[in-house]
Amino acid sequence: MINSNTGAISFARLMARQPAAWISTTRISAKGVLTTAQHTLTVVGVTALVVMAVLFVRPDLAKALSNSLNHSPDVEAVAVTAPPLTALMEAPAASAPASAAAPLTAEEKALLGTQKQQQWVTTWLSKRYRVAGDAANMLVSTAYLTAREIKLDPLLILAVMSIESGLNPFAESPVGAQGLMQVMSKVHHEKFQDMGGLQAALNPVANIRVGALILKDYVTRGGSVEAGLKSYVGAAAFETDDGYGSKVMAEYNRLKQVSAGKKVPTTNPVMTASATKPAAPVAVADKSVNDTQIAGL
């Protein structure tokens, strides 16, 4: 009986000690977990600092990492920029004349002039309107080729182009006239249909060709260069064109002198209506305006 009581007491004491031991063991385990977590966070923090330092020293790695994390397949942002002039010049714009490679006639030779004359005109216009030499060369070449195609003096085309836009292919007036020749594209939209539609209005090749065709048509219908220029500027129904025709003809005469090899200042101001006398109407058959020969008319 005594032994039985002793065993029960021992068992009770053992059971009494177990909660304390369990609590002690639990405290030790929790402390270990916290210590481990603290060490882990320390290692992660140090690693992050090292990675940041490496990315700071090696921006290329940072960019590569950013691209890999933000990779979006098959989707790229495209910057909207104005196309370079060379691209516009190379764009299809109404077909060059099919006979471009054919031998030149006497009239075509007179229209195109010599390579030297074109170079003189290009250099002068480049300096006068502060246009890059290569760009001016492309514009002048296009004007000469267009002149050959439609049988109109290239210097008259260049004179109109100069007065209208100052050789700026992206010029646009408040009333909607666009490009080098300041063509009212919405009015003459049908002329751009074979060249890609209205968006071709800012294509230098298309703009020069359409503007030259309109000018040739106005001169033919008006019976004189003056009447044609008056219609071109939209003043056909008015008594005066505010000196527009005089400005164009003054620039034409300067270009005529330049193409003849004469020294013409590039800083001469454009003539105004008050500084010049309007040219008298001259029939197309006479082919002259103020005794100035206009080739192709």
Side-chain angles (χ1 to χ4, degrees):
M1 186 66 181
I2 294 174
N3 291 337
S4 176
N5 290 337
T6 302
I9 293 171
S10 298
F11 179 76
R13 288 177 178 175
L14 177 62
M15 293 300 293
R17 291 195 189 102
Q18 281 186 352
W22 180 80
I23 293 173
S24 177
T25 302
T26 302
R27 288 178 178 176
I28 294 173
S29 300
K31 184 177 181 180
V33 170
L34 291 175
T35 302
T36 302
Q38 184 179 11
H39 291 169
T40 301
L41 291 175
T42 301
V43 171
V44 171
V46 172
T47 303
L49 290 175
V50 171
V51 171
M52 291 176 63
V54 171
L55 294 179
F56 179 78
V57 175
R58 294 287 301 277
D60 54 326
L61 294 178
K63 184 176 181 180
L65 179 60
S66 176
N67 291 337
S68 64
L69 294 176
N70 300 302
H71 179 62
S72 179
D74 302 327
V75 178
E76 295 183 1
V78 179
V80 179
T81 57
L85 183 59
T86 52
L88 289 172
M89 293 299 292
E90 293 169 358
S95 66
S99 59
L104 297 177
T105 64
E107 183 181 12
E108 288 174 338
K109 288 180 179 179
L111 288 172
L112 291 177
T114 66
Q115 190 65 35
K116 192 67 175 177
Q117 288 175 322
Q118 289 191 36
Q119 186 56 52
W120 286 336
V121 170
T122 298
T123 301
W124 189 81
L125 287 173
S126 175
K127 292 180 179 179
R128 180 167 175 77
Y129 293 99
R130 299 180 180 179
V131 177
D134 290 342
N137 182 57
M138 286 187 289
L139 298 179
V140 171
S141 297
T142 300
Y144 271 82
L145 291 174
T146 301
R148 174 189 173 181
E149 179 186 356
I150 69 175
K151 304 297 185 293
L152 182 66
D153 194 326
L155 298 182
L156 181 60
I157 296 175
L158 288 169
V160 170
M161 193 189 307
S162 299
I163 299 302
E164 286 286 356
S165 66
L167 305 188
N168 178 6
F170 304 112
E172 183 166 354
S173 75
V175 296
Q178 295 178 301
L180 291 161
M181 299 285 284
Q182 289 292 278
V183 178
M184 294 292 291
S185 55
K186 293 183 179 179
V187 175
H188 301 283
H189 59 87
E190 74 285 350
K191 292 182 174 63
F192 288 102
Q193 292 309 308
D194 295 334
M195 307 179 195
L198 288 180
Q199 60 268 29
L202 294 180
N203 178 320
V205 179
N207 194 276
I208 291 173
R209 187 176 187 276
V210 170
L213 286 171
I214 295 171
L215 177 61
K216 178 69 178 286
D217 181 53
Y218 283 157
V219 170
T220 301
R221 287 193 292 170
S224 70
V225 174
E226 183 197 44
L229 292 173
K230 191 175 181 182
S231 294
Y232 193 89
V233 78
F238 301 96
E239 183 178 351
T240 176
D241 61 4
D242 290 329
Y244 173 80
S246 297
K247 294 176 185 178
V248 172
M249 291 312 301
E251 195 73 351
Y252 171 83
N253 288 326
R254 281 190 280 269
L255 288 169
K256 194 78 172 176
Q257 295 177 50
V258 170
S259 68
K262 297 180 179 180
K263 299 291 184 181
V264 179
T266 59
T267 55
N268 281 350
V270 175
M271 290 185 177
T272 61
S274 60
T276 60
K277 295 181 180 179
V282 179
V284 173
D286 293 338
K287 297 185 178 181
S288 64
V289 174
N290 284 350
D291 297 327
T292 301
Q293 187 71 19
I294 304 293
L297 297 178

